Amino acid sequence: MSRLDNRWFGHETWIQRHKRLSVGLFLIAILLFILVLGYICCAELKMVSGFEKTSQTEGEKTAEKEDVADGDKTSTETEVSPIDPDKPMIAITFDDGPSIYTEQLLDKLKECNARATFFMVGQNVRKYPDTVKRIAEMGCEIGNHTYNHVTLTELAPEQMQSEIEATNQALTEVLGQGAKTVRPTYGAVNDEVKNHVAYPFVMWSVDTTDWQKEDAASVVNYVLETVQDGDIVLLHDIHAITVEAMMTLIPALQERGYQLVTVSEMAEVRGITFENGQKYFSFKK
Ligand code: NI
């Protein structure tokens, strides 16, 4: 023993020393317990990734975006994940775009290996041709939502047709082909429209009313509470809060077991063949 040890322990009995050591060991055990508890809590927090994302700072968001952009260079965008027909699926759809927010949405879809359907307004196809191309390359589906976002039921037959054909012309200039389905603006279809617009009409079974919601959380909560297997979900990628909501919603839906597929993919898996002039609201089992 050193002199220092003698100073601390020299005049203690072995019982006193034993007690002192026991207390020491007990304190070390408590310290280890706190450390392990802290580690477990930290790991659990990380698992709740959806909530983690909403608390990110702007700087972190930018860094993440750059990471995704780097990933683009090393992987092809044409890889499409297979669909399991026995597992639940839904088709999320975005009307009125593309817009300045659509690229961020595509980054998230890609990151999650998910797909969606975009019903585009012809004017915006001309504004964002690169986004249109990327949507197609990712295996997402593109539909027609008129050229000027007009109500088809209020138009003369030849105007109805030119509104649809002008968008398909714009798409053809970018992609080499037009859309195979139409989503009528405001869901307005009557017999006149059915007779003069020779396309299947893709409607929806979940209306999120995202355009009048005040924040992203309201959109997320509404969809998670409402959605069921086979649903077609109506959203708009021209609203910042909608795209913000999708950052949480896409992984949250996948965590609940939903495959995120396009409208046509879901129709095919469920044995539906599109017919011109028919309306389709959902593809439930
Ligand atoms: Ni619309």
Side-chain angles (χ1 to χ4, degrees), residues 102-135:
T102 310
E103 287 286 340
Q104 191 195 347
L105 171 57
L106 295 179
D107 290 343
K108 193 69 189 178
L109 285 167
K110 182 175 168 54
E111 181 194 322
C112 296
N113 204 8
R115 293 186 292 286
T117 305
F118 294 81
F119 291 97
M120 297 180 182
V121 167
Q123 287 180 349
N124 291 335
V125 172
R126 296 216 182 270
K127 268 188 215 163
Y128 301 97
D130 292 341
T131 306
V132 174
K133 256 184 230 164
R134 188 176 172 207
I135 288 171

Side-chain angles (χ1 to χ4, degrees), residues 17-171:
R17 195 173 165 191
H18 185 77
K19 274 186 184 168
R20 187 187 285 274
L21 280 170
S22 298
V23 169
L25 283 171
F26 181 67
L27 287 174
I28 288 168
I30 286 177
L31 193 69
L32 279 172
F33 178 72
I34 290 168
L35 280 172
V36 168
L37 201 69
Y39 179 79
I40 291 169
C41 286
C42 195
E44 277 180 1
L45 273 177
K46 275 185 183 169
M47 279 170 71
V48 190
S49 55
F51 295 99
E52 194 186 29
K53 292 274 184 282
T54 54
S55 63
Q56 281 175 328
T57 64
E58 281 306 311
E60 282 169 335
K61 279 183 185 167
T62 313
E64 185 183 311
K65 219 176 170 184
E66 279 166 9
D67 286 344
V68 174
D70 286 340
D72 288 349
K73 288 168 197 156
T74 51
S75 65
T76 59
E77 297 215 306
T78 46
E79 275 176 40
V80 173
S81 60
I83 301 167
D84 184 339
D86 298 324
K87 287 186 181 161
M89 65 189 78
I90 55 170
I92 50 173
T93 68
F94 298 94
D95 286 11
D96 301 356
S99 80
I100 48 167
Y101 308 114
T102 310
E103 287 286 340
Q104 191 195 347
L105 171 57
L106 295 179
D107 290 343
K108 193 69 189 178
L109 285 167
K110 182 175 168 54
E111 181 194 322
C112 296
N113 204 8
R115 293 186 292 286
T117 305
F118 294 81
F119 291 97
M120 297 180 182
V121 167
Q123 287 180 349
N124 291 335
V125 172
R126 296 216 182 270
K127 268 188 215 163
Y128 301 97
D130 292 341
T131 306
V132 174
K133 256 184 230 164
R134 188 176 172 207
I135 288 171
E137 283 165 8
M138 282 175 60
C140 289
E141 184 174 4
I142 293 171
N144 190 322
H145 196 51
T146 77
Y147 194 84
N148 294 298
H149 204 268
V150 288
T151 310
L152 293 171
T153 49
E154 293 171 359
L155 302 180
E158 60 273 21
Q159 286 176 303
M160 293 176 192
Q161 287 164 346
S162 70
E163 275 288 329
I164 299 301
E165 292 317 318
T167 294
N168 273 356
Q169 177 60 34
L171 286 171

Side-chain angles (χ1 to χ4, degrees), residues 199-226:
Y199 289 90
F201 298 111
V202 176
M203 314 302 276
W204 56 86
S205 50
V206 174
D207 184 355
T208 63
T209 63
D210 56 338
W211 53 275
Q212 61 177 6
K213 287 207 161 46
E214 284 180 8
D215 54 35
S218 314
V219 178
V220 173
N221 293 337
Y222 182 78
V223 175
L224 292 180
E225 283 164 16
T226 315

